[in-house]
Amino acid sequence: MIAEIQCLPSPPGTDGQPYAHVERAIAEIQRSGLRYEVGALGTTVEGAPDAVWPLLRRVHEACVRSGADSAVTIIKVAQGADQQQTPGMDDLVSKFRGA
């Protein structure tokens, strides 16, 4: 399964750290041990559904726990009927990556 998550906390951070709440969400992903790629507008995560689904919730909640007044989270999920049918991150983007 792959998922892309974009957290939009309000505010995104503090005066001293303008993206502190977003960074807290990314830290949750980093701690998961799952394969991930941070992008400019979201982070893609790859792994077993039983690992990815709870992580998505933890990432969203990390924004609020970090001090944001509120958070809106946008999630896209791709999952085949079995793990073998689900394309991975490399399958979807490798031909577009630079050398």
Side-chain angles (χ1 to χ4, degrees):
M1 161 181 207
I2 62 173
E4 182 180 65
I5 185 165
Q6 179 187 27
C7 294
L8 303 167
S10 179
T14 63
D15 289 340
Q17 293 180 292
Y19 298 104
H21 308 316
V22 173
E23 290 171 6
R24 178 78 178 266
I26 293 170
E28 190 71 36
I29 294 168
Q30 291 171 322
R31 281 192 297 276
S32 75
L34 295 176
R35 183 164 183 233
Y36 69 93
E37 291 184 10
V38 176
L41 298 176
T43 300
T44 303
V45 179
E46 184 175 276
D50 288 342
V52 174
W53 283 115
L55 174 62
L56 297 174
R57 179 177 181 172
R58 290 194 314 269
V59 170
H60 170 78
E61 291 174 347
C63 288
V64 178
R65 281 195 319 271
S66 70
D69 295 332
S70 64
V72 171
T73 298
I74 300 164
I75 298 170
K76 297 182 205 175
V77 175
Q79 180 180 1
D82 65 46
Q83 271 307 91
Q84 306 311 318
Q85 294 177 340
T86 304
M89 288 187 281
D90 289 336
D91 299 323
L92 296 172
V93 300
S94 62
K95 75 178 189 177
F96 301 106
R97 291 188 174 133

